[in-house]
Amino acid sequence: MAQKPLRLLACGDVEGKFDILFNRVQAIQKKSGNFDLLLCVGNFFGSTQDAEWEEYKTGIKKAPIQTYVLGANNQETVKYFQDADGCELAENITYLGRKGIFTGSSGLQIVYLSGTESLNEPVPGYSFSPKDVSSLRMMLCTTSQFKGVDILLTSPWPKCVGNFGNSSGEVDTKKCGSALVSSLATGLKPRYHFAALEKTYYERLPYRNHIILQENAQHATRFIALANVGNPEKKKYLYAFSIVPMKLMDAAELVKQPPDVTENPYRKSGQEASIGKQILAPVEESACQFFFDLNEKQGRKRSSTGRDSKSSPHPKQPRKPPQPPGPCWFCLASPEVEKHLVVNIGTHCYLALAKGGLSDDHVLILPIGHYQSVVELSAEVVEEVEKYKATLRRFFKSRGKWCVVFERNYKSHHLQLQVIPVPISCSTTDDIKDAFITQAQEQQIELLEIPEHSDIKQPGAAYFYVELDTGEKLFHRIKKNFPLQFGREVLASEAILNVPDKSDWRQCQISKEDEETLARRFRKDFEPYDFTLDD
């Protein structure tokens, strides 16, 4: 028999408007039936008007539902919370305490943290410290059986919660909120996280709690910020939901991913998380590289020559580059190649200015031989591709630009690694990453992060792939249709280069004479960085 869900209400800042809140709860219960609990986050008490509270404290009035509240967020209201470990404030109204875990008879697990963030010692009575957050994480996260908690209650928003998500309105989540709360949410993996204090309602799209292709699927988290009770703008301050405790749920049902699920807002792929302090991928010495096989859950370590450790110790003879089945616009030996655009030639690869480029220094890394995608490259070609990428990053960085690399292995015959410089003054790498993820979500494209020290290894599969200066990589497996200009559209958008009219290369073509001028200029500028001169 299926477990009957609990029916809960969550509320934002009450600020002493108890009658408005409880009258509203009574009306909801009269219309929709009884709820099991009311959970209040933010400021439960206001700074004035104690008369209304006295009626509840003395029993003249009674809360119509069992109500649990968080503690003070300012010095003025500390007086209402005499016991730091929690206590009954009035009939049906209970203060949970400064921090802890509340487990109901049903098995529902609620973690709570009262107050606002403080990094100073001693910590004020209305604040929490890094030690408080660490102790909460230690209580739960140290066991191998830990999968997460049902509900997390905090008063402040978690910092950066808006990353990769829908708009949070006027609240700038990169500046507002608590980094400690973000860290707590990262570790505890709540199914629901409620917060307040910003006097607005924001229901973020659900986000993942696992790393795609590296970890087993886990449940998603829903973050909901609630407005203040009785606000004149009529913003939502009361949220009704049903929940079956995690411990009672079927594992497969628990980890089902909502269709609108996003990346985890607190996680930085390939770097130490700026908030959660989690390392997502091991840092390897430069002599080693991870190749990522999408049919496996983990990457496997291979030598930089591309040979498995168990293979023959004798080095392979260099392979002759494959030949195209017919005319190819990009094979260097082909008469179809527009050689005036070529700006540098290596042993296995060459650089050429992009025809109809997004900028004057938009270049392509192309194999001299006929390879359709990065996946099919031989080890020696891979090595030179990586050399070109590293060199171009140094070159563009010296000119105050980031370097964005992408490949579309779909409706293409010869590998073209697009290398587009983005002025550092225009965008951060986070802005670029956010732009790709946001536009992917808008077009219902599942753009996944893959580990920093990994690469794609799935011959025959159509895909789109983008790599940032930070080493962060985003990947989409193309199963049906894919917008051919997607990479250009993102970079041409107002959020990055702000040249939306250049999203289609055919609209950007210039005369051959102008192309030759740009190519000569690029060759001259690139010459001090040209590693092929050392060979």
Side-chain angles (χ1 to χ4, degrees):
M1 181 177 174
Q3 172 68 28
K4 185 179 178 182
L6 296 166
R7 302 181 73 226
L8 307 183
L9 290 167
C11 178
D13 303 277
V14 180
E15 296 180 332
K17 297 175 182 176
F18 308 113
D19 286 347
I20 294 176
L21 169 62
F22 292 132
N23 288 341
R24 177 67 179 144
V25 170
Q26 279 184 313
I28 290 172
Q29 293 202 121
K30 186 175 181 180
K31 181 179 179 180
S32 305
N34 289 337
F35 283 76
D36 297 288
L37 294 175
L38 168 62
L39 306 171
C40 296
V41 293
N43 295 311
F44 187 67
F45 293 99
S47 55
T48 57
Q49 301 174 343
D50 281 350
E52 197 172 301
W53 172 242
E54 282 299 314
E55 292 183 308
Y56 287 90
K57 187 177 179 180
T58 57
I60 296 173
K61 292 181 179 178
K62 175 185 171 183
I65 184 175
Q66 183 61 54
T67 302
Y68 291 94
V69 309
L70 295 183
N73 297 295
N74 53 61
Q75 187 60 53
E76 291 176 296
T77 55
V78 170
K79 61 185 179 182
Y80 295 103
F81 306 97
Q82 298 300 317
D83 189 343
D85 295 325
C87 58
E88 186 176 85
L89 301 177
E91 188 174 358
N92 271 1
I93 302 176
T94 301
Y95 163 46
L96 286 166
R98 286 191 69 244
K99 67 177 187 296
I101 305 158
F102 172 83
T103 305
S105 57
S106 63
L108 186 77
Q109 198 168 48
I110 301 172
V111 175
Y112 54 90
L113 180 65
S114 292
T116 56
E117 177 181 312
S118 175
L119 302 178
N120 300 319
E121 294 287 350
V123 178
Y126 53 86
S127 295
F128 57 84
S129 68
K131 289 180 182 177
D132 293 319
V133 171
S134 295
S135 66
L136 272 177
R137 291 182 63 156
M138 288 292 289
M139 285 181 203
L140 290 158
C141 305
T142 51
T143 64
S144 58
Q145 292 80 26
F146 177 73
K147 295 180 179 178
V149 300
D150 291 304
I151 298 171
L152 173 61
L153 304 178
T154 64
S155 288
W157 289 29
K159 196 169 188 178
C160 295
V161 69
N163 286 356
F164 316 135
N166 47 316
S167 172
S168 51
E170 296 178 0
V171 179
D172 184 349
T173 62
K174 290 184 178 179
K175 296 178 181 177
C176 139
S178 163
L180 290 177
V181 170
S182 303
S183 172
L184 187 62
T186 302
L188 297 188
K189 304 174 186 176
R191 294 165 65 197
Y192 285 87
H193 180 182
F194 294 98
L197 296 184
E198 298 299 331
K199 299 189 182 299
T200 194
Y201 170 70
Y202 172 50
E203 182 170 0
R204 190 203 184 281
L205 291 172
Y207 64 81
R208 295 185 186 92
N209 281 298
H210 61 280
I211 305 172
I212 293 288
L213 305 172
Q214 276 192 290
E215 299 174 333
N216 293 330
Q218 298 179 45
H219 58 271
T221 292
R222 288 171 166 81
F223 172 76
I224 297 112
L226 295 161
N228 48 316
V229 170
N231 66 86
E233 299 87 2
K234 296 187 177 179
K235 295 177 182 177
K236 189 169 182 176
Y237 65 82
L238 205 56
Y239 184 92
F241 66 109
S242 298
I243 185 170
V244 173
M246 183 185 297
K247 292 179 179 179
L248 303 178
M249 286 188 70
D250 175 73
E253 187 68 25
L254 176 65
V255 302
K256 276 186 179 177
Q257 300 296 293
D260 54 352
V261 70
T262 76
E263 294 298 324
N264 191 308
Y266 316 123
R267 187 171 270 144
K268 300 290 181 186
S269 176
Q271 304 173 10
E272 185 175 349
S274 60
I275 295 161
K277 303 298 182 187
Q278 294 186 352
I279 302 296
L280 302 186
V283 177
E284 292 293 312
E285 293 181 6
S286 58
C288 298
Q289 185 178 11
F290 275 92
F291 284 75
F292 201 71
D293 189 337
L294 296 176
N295 294 316
E296 299 176 6
K297 290 183 179 176
Q298 296 291 339
R300 57 194 178 93
K301 189 173 175 183
R302 301 182 68 183
S303 70
S304 57
T305 61
R307 292 181 288 114
D308 290 334
S309 58
K310 292 182 181 180
S311 62
S312 167
H314 301 294
K316 292 182 179 180
Q317 294 299 316
R319 286 192 305 180
K320 197 173 181 180
Q323 300 302 308
C328 177
W329 288 96
F330 299 104
C331 286
L332 192 56
S334 170
E336 283 80 11
V337 170
E338 297 194 53
K339 291 185 170 58
H340 66 283
L341 292 172
V342 175
V343 292
N344 189 267
I345 302 175
T347 307
H348 306 286
C349 305
Y350 71 98
L351 286 185
L353 285 185
K355 196 168 186 67
L358 275 168
S359 61
D360 291 349
D361 44 6
H362 174 175
V363 294
L364 308 178
I365 304 173
L366 304 119
I368 291 171
H370 188 76
Y371 296 90
Q372 183 172 328
S373 68
V374 162
V375 173
E376 297 176 358
L377 296 179
S378 62
E380 61 269 16
V381 184
V382 168
E383 185 177 351
E384 192 164 280
V385 165
E386 292 302 319
K387 257 188 175 181
Y388 266 119
K389 285 198 291 187
T391 303
L392 286 167
R393 286 194 185 101
R394 288 195 302 273
F395 171 62
F396 286 127
K397 190 173 183 181
S398 73
R399 305 171 78 82
K401 298 178 181 182
W402 303 115
C403 186
V404 182
V405 180
F406 71 80
E407 177 198 0
R408 170 177 51 82
N409 181 31
Y410 173 70
K411 294 190 176 180
S412 59
H413 301 289
H414 189 111
L415 166 63
Q416 305 163 54
L417 272 181
Q418 307 272 343
V419 184
I420 297 94
V422 175
I424 291 172
S425 58
C426 290
S427 305
T428 66
T429 52
D430 278 348
D431 292 334
I432 298 169
K433 181 179 175 183
D434 289 354
F436 271 99
I437 291 174
T438 300
Q439 289 208 34
Q441 289 173 350
E442 288 174 359
Q443 298 188 46
Q444 297 184 316
I445 295 168
E446 188 178 28
L447 201 56
L448 307 175
E449 289 191 47
I450 62 175
E452 178 187 0
H453 297 279
S454 64
D455 222 323
I456 308 159
K457 188 176 183 296
Q458 197 171 32
Y463 60 82
F464 173 83
Y465 158 85
V466 60
E467 181 177 344
L468 305 179
D469 255 6
T470 55
E472 294 171 283
K473 300 177 183 181
L474 303 172
F475 174 88
H476 170 66
R477 169 75 182 274
I478 300 172
K479 296 178 181 177
K480 196 174 180 182
N481 296 318
F482 186 79
L484 298 184
Q485 304 296 334
F486 176 72
R488 285 184 66 111
E489 287 170 359
V490 174
L491 293 169
S493 68
E494 292 181 6
I496 309 301
L497 292 173
N498 195 21
V499 286
D501 54 318
K502 291 190 174 184
S503 57
D504 188 331
W505 71 273
R506 289 165 294 193
Q507 307 301 317
C508 305
Q509 294 189 69
I510 56 178
S511 68
K512 183 177 179 180
E513 184 180 0
D514 288 340
E515 288 176 338
E516 289 173 337
T517 300
L518 292 180
R520 281 196 299 270
R521 185 187 307 159
F522 190 95
R523 290 188 202 105
K524 182 180 178 182
D525 292 342
F526 186 70
E527 188 174 353
Y529 298 85
D530 185 1
F531 65 87
T532 65
L533 299 176
D534 301 327
D535 292 345

